[in-house]
Amino acid sequence: MSHSEPAGDLGAYVKRFSRASVLVVGDAMLDRYVYGEVTRISPEAPVPILTVTREVAMPGGAGNVVRNLIALNASAAFVSVVGDDAAGSDLTGLIGGQERVEPWLLVQGGRTTTLKTRYIAQGQHLIRADREETVALPPRLAERLVRIALDAMAATTVTILSDYRKGVLSPEVAGQLIAGAKKLGRKVIVDPKGRDYALYAGADVITPNRRELAEATGMPVDSEAGIVAAARKLMAAHDFGAVLVTRSEDGMSLVMQGEVHHFPGEAKEVFDVSGAGDTVVAALAAALAANVPLPGAARLANIAGGIVVGKVGTAVTHPADILAAIAPATGALTKVVTAAAAAEAAERWRTRGYRVGFTNGCFDLLHPGHVHLLEQCRAMCDRLIVGINADASVKRLKGPTRPAQGEAARAAVLASLASVDLVCLFEEDTPIEVIKLIKPDLLIKGSDYTRETVVGAELVESWGGAVALAELLPGHSTTATLARLRG
């Protein structure tokens, strides 16, 4: 049986995410991405030489589940273990620096923090180097972790056990946490690993992918009927409340005690599946913690997973992304996005070798001068993102009678231009925060500016970008246009 929630209901559910509080217990990792260019082969061995241009580090594993929860506007408590090494210190700083996170990262002396380093050139993954330790926690540390987790469980609504088989969720630890959740009346979602699901016995929802389901049951899962039969076998054997099976581009299947729901694939384009399972389990937990019924929560998780595989790297999904997927904009309005979405698009374009340009302004009453400026900007780069001041910002900068047109109208008109690839609003008086997010390769302003007066010039140059000044069309300005209109 298929299932679909009315779009209006799903939109209301997404807005509840800010009320959700979720506990994540599992294996924390540090994901490091090293980007560069390859222009020659090493004379020492037949391998490419990567000239490094930038590095990015972010929480991975169970830490990526936390990232996704925060991106969805939920609150999270995070209980895990790191080593007393540089990767553990970096990971602790990254987790602690996020808003709405209560971190409990216990330090084990001598342990190696899991570190995955990916080397990428021109959008191609060259190699991944892993450093890790997978032994179970010593008994005293495991007892401390369980005690802290049970305290955090009492203060949250839903618990996620994110198992990457790196030693945090031993059978004893997982069993104690699931038993504790039952006593507290809390739901437990498990993102499993391995073939023995007995250690997750009693969980409310388990989220294997199709391959993991086949390995755990030894049953064929190449059809919906096969998936349902295998899921029911797991439920009967281990007292699971439900099984949510992710089926890659084919969507998901939710098998409950009395009903089954199959959700079609939501991805328009699969760009990178890294971390998609973390997004799914985070969206499912956020929805359940916000009192969304399980079928609706699974539908939202399916939409969130479909969005994130169209992004670059270990990405996250935001409520605005899900709302846009539920009720998509059409025509030029699809080019009006949040600053976060613009940053993700810019990253995707860069991995394909495109040069990303950025310009900004109020763009109050679009006139030939604006059109001329934007056409020049687009000619200097491969993709152009335009930041525009929101109404409150324009009023502060230009006075109480401005803007002449509201922000929605200004954004829509700009988006209709062929020279503009994306438009995003910013509330601040300057675009500096948007520039930090997007990291353009080229920052462009009109020739009435100098390099020294362009906001963000030093910042863009600090990461190897450039600043350019475009020629203005004489006699065309917003002030002159308004004066002509007012007679």
Side-chain angles (χ1 to χ4, degrees):
M1 128 181 196
S2 62
H3 179 85
S4 85
E5 291 280 331
D9 291 347
L10 289 174
Y13 290 159
V14 173
K15 291 169 185 173
R16 292 191 207 166
F17 284 176
S18 59
R19 307 179 206 165
S21 60
V22 178
L23 166 65
V24 180
V25 185
D27 301 293
M29 308 178 193
L30 185 66
D31 281 340
R32 195 180 298 281
Y33 294 83
V34 180
Y35 296 94
E37 297 179 354
V38 172
T39 56
R40 60 197 178 103
I41 300 299
S42 172
E44 301 163 6
V47 295
I49 295 175
L50 180 70
T51 303
V52 176
T53 55
R54 63 193 180 95
E55 297 187 28
V56 178
M58 60 186 67
N64 189 46
V65 177
V66 173
R67 276 184 72 225
N68 275 274
L69 285 165
I70 301 313
L72 291 168
N73 287 343
S75 298
F78 184 30
V79 181
S80 188
V81 175
V82 297
D84 57 347
D85 52 13
S89 176
D90 290 348
L91 186 52
T92 300
L94 287 169
I95 294 290
Q98 296 183 88
E99 294 180 5
R100 301 190 308 281
V101 177
E102 183 181 354
W104 293 92
L105 297 183
L106 310 181
V107 179
Q108 180 185 353
R111 189 178 188 89
T112 299
T113 304
T114 300
L115 171 64
K116 297 181 178 179
T117 306
R118 298 164 176 88
Y119 296 88
I120 300 165
Q122 285 96 6
Q124 296 297 313
H125 201 134
L126 299 181
I127 192 171
R128 191 180 93 182
D130 288 4
R131 189 175 296 169
E132 64 183 20
E133 188 172 318
T134 59
V135 298
L137 304 179
R140 188 170 294 179
L141 183 62
E143 288 171 15
R144 186 173 170 223
L145 180 136
V146 169
R147 188 170 64 251
I148 290 169
L150 290 175
D151 286 344
M153 196 181 287
T156 50
T157 308
V158 171
T159 293
I160 296 171
L161 301 186
S162 178
D163 193 0
Y164 277 84
R165 288 293 166 97
K166 306 302 180 189
V168 170
L169 288 171
S170 65
E172 295 76 21
V173 168
Q176 289 177 61
L177 293 176
I178 292 169
K182 290 205 175 303
K183 285 182 185 174
L184 290 165
R186 300 293 189 263
K187 288 187 175 71
V188 176
I189 302 168
V190 178
D191 189 3
K193 281 290 181 292
R195 299 186 178 190
D196 182 11
Y197 284 17
L199 70 157
Y200 313 124
D204 294 281
V205 186
I206 193 159
T207 63
N209 61 36
R210 186 159 41 191
R211 177 184 53 78
E212 290 167 337
L213 180 65
E215 290 176 353
T217 61
M219 297 173 65
V221 294
D222 51 358
S223 67
E224 289 184 350
I227 286 170
V228 172
R232 291 214 181 279
K233 178 180 179 180
L234 281 183
M235 291 166 70
H238 306 301
D239 191 29
F240 297 140
V243 179
L244 180 64
V245 184
T246 55
R247 298 183 285 125
S248 190
E249 68 277 3
D250 296 327
M252 295 184 188
S253 294
L254 174 64
V255 182
M256 303 166 66
Q257 296 295 347
E259 54 190 284
V260 175
H261 303 284
H262 297 295
F263 304 100
E266 294 277 354
K268 292 189 176 86
E269 177 186 18
V270 177
F271 193 80
D272 192 335
V273 297
S274 302
D278 297 331
T279 301
V280 167
V281 75
L284 183 71
L288 290 178
N291 294 317
V292 176
L294 182 53
R299 173 93 191 277
L300 289 171
N302 186 44
I303 292 169
I307 293 165
V308 84
V309 296
K311 298 184 179 184
V312 177
T314 309
V316 295
T317 299
H318 302 276
D321 298 327
I322 299 175
L323 291 170
I326 293 167
T330 57
L333 292 180
T334 59
K335 290 157 68 172
V336 182
V337 299
T338 64
E344 287 165 353
E347 183 68 13
R348 186 161 62 247
W349 288 332
R350 269 191 294 271
T351 63
R352 293 173 175 174
Y354 297 147
R355 193 181 196 206
V356 178
F358 177 84
T359 191
N360 69 279
C362 298
F363 295 100
D364 195 10
L365 288 181
L366 199 70
H367 53 71
H370 287 143
V371 175
H372 178 72
L373 172 69
L374 293 169
E375 286 176 346
Q376 285 189 84
C377 291
R378 185 59 169 78
M380 296 178 188
C381 59
D382 300 308
R383 295 290 184 270
L384 178 65
I385 300 173
V386 179
I388 63 171
N389 297 72
D391 288 350
S393 175
V394 176
K395 202 174 291 291
R396 288 193 300 272
L397 294 170
K398 304 286 187 179
T401 62
R402 302 280 293 275
Q405 291 191 108
E407 58 194 37
R410 289 184 286 125
V413 172
L414 275 175
S416 69
L417 297 177
S419 56
V420 175
D421 293 288
L422 286 180
V423 178
C424 63
L425 285 156
F426 58 92
E427 298 289 339
E428 303 82 9
D429 289 350
T430 78
I432 195 72
E433 295 304 319
V434 178
I435 291 170
K436 286 178 184 175
L437 266 179
I438 293 172
K439 293 185 170 60
D441 304 297
L442 185 65
L443 178 60
I444 315 160
K445 291 293 287 183
S447 57
D448 51 340
Y449 284 79
T450 63
R451 148 68 183 75
E452 291 70 30
T453 58
V454 174
V455 172
E458 288 186 4
L459 191 62
V460 171
E461 289 172 347
S462 73
W463 55 66
V467 178
L469 301 178
E471 181 187 336
L472 296 179
L473 196 62
H476 289 278
S477 67
T478 302
T479 303
T481 302
L482 281 170
R484 283 195 294 272
L485 288 172
R486 289 166 181 161

